[in-house]
Amino acid sequence: QVQLIESGGGLVQVGGSLRLACVASGRTLNPISMAWFRQPPGKEREFVAGVSWLRGATGHADSVKGRFAVSKDNANSTMYLQMNNLKPEDTALYFCAAMSGATTTQSMRARRLYNYWGQGTQVTVNS
């Protein structure tokens, strides 16, 4: 079994920054592709950003491009999400997800591909 543990969420003012981390432990997935999803209050879970095993390709949702950046530290099995210039609409529960295999910058956006999920970390942006 693979465990994913997110950290780094919190309360921040508009324009502020946060850095989320997701550590994968347990059974090693190789290859592994990972992604961040978020679920705003009363809404569906949506793709935020992802990192493919294949050449480390990354993808970001249009709503966060230029403000968020996903990265992955393979040595520590950790994925990060640097979030800058946060807006109230970024308020959500942020989830880490993982799957065995490679994704493309398109396919990584599909929730159904991921079979491992973390418990989520709350991000709240105050206006």
Side-chain angles (χ1 to χ4, degrees), residues 6 20 35-50 60-65 67-68 81-97 109 111 117 119-125:
E6 305 98 335
L20 305 184
W36 290 100
F37 286 77
R38 67 185 181 186
Q39 188 162 12
K43 295 186 179 180
E44 294 289 317
R45 195 172 298 188
E46 62 184 15
F47 172 79
V48 177
H60 298 80
D62 288 344
S63 59
V64 306
K65 275 182 183 176
R67 300 188 298 121
F68 292 11
L81 184 67
Q82 178 65 44
M83 304 187 296
N84 299 325
N85 191 20
L86 283 159
K87 303 176 180 181
E89 52 263 43
D90 295 318
T91 294
L93 188 59
Y94 283 71
F95 295 91
C96 172
R109 300 160 194 267
R111 283 171 48 186
W117 292 84
Q119 293 298 309
T121 184
Q122 179 67 38
V123 172
T124 302
V125 184

Side-chain angles (χ1 to χ4, degrees), residues 49-110:
V51 184
S52 174
W53 167 80
L54 190 62
R55 294 187 292 274
T58 61
H60 298 80
D62 288 344
S63 59
V64 306
K65 275 182 183 176
R67 300 188 298 121
F68 292 11
V70 64
S71 60
K72 190 167 176 287
D73 181 345
N74 290 322
N76 295 316
S77 300
T78 302
M79 178 179 62
Y80 301 97
L81 184 67
Q82 178 65 44
M83 304 187 296
N84 299 325
N85 191 20
L86 283 159
K87 303 176 180 181
E89 52 263 43
D90 295 318
T91 294
L93 188 59
Y94 283 71
F95 295 91
C96 172
M99 59 162 285
S100 178
T103 54
T104 67
T105 53
Q106 284 303 311
S107 68
M108 63 175 57
R109 300 160 194 267

Side-chain angles (χ1 to χ4, degrees), residues 10-18 86 123-127:
L11 177 64
V12 66
Q13 297 300 310
V14 168
S17 297
L18 284 173
L86 283 159
V123 172
T124 302
V125 184
N126 271 351
S127 57

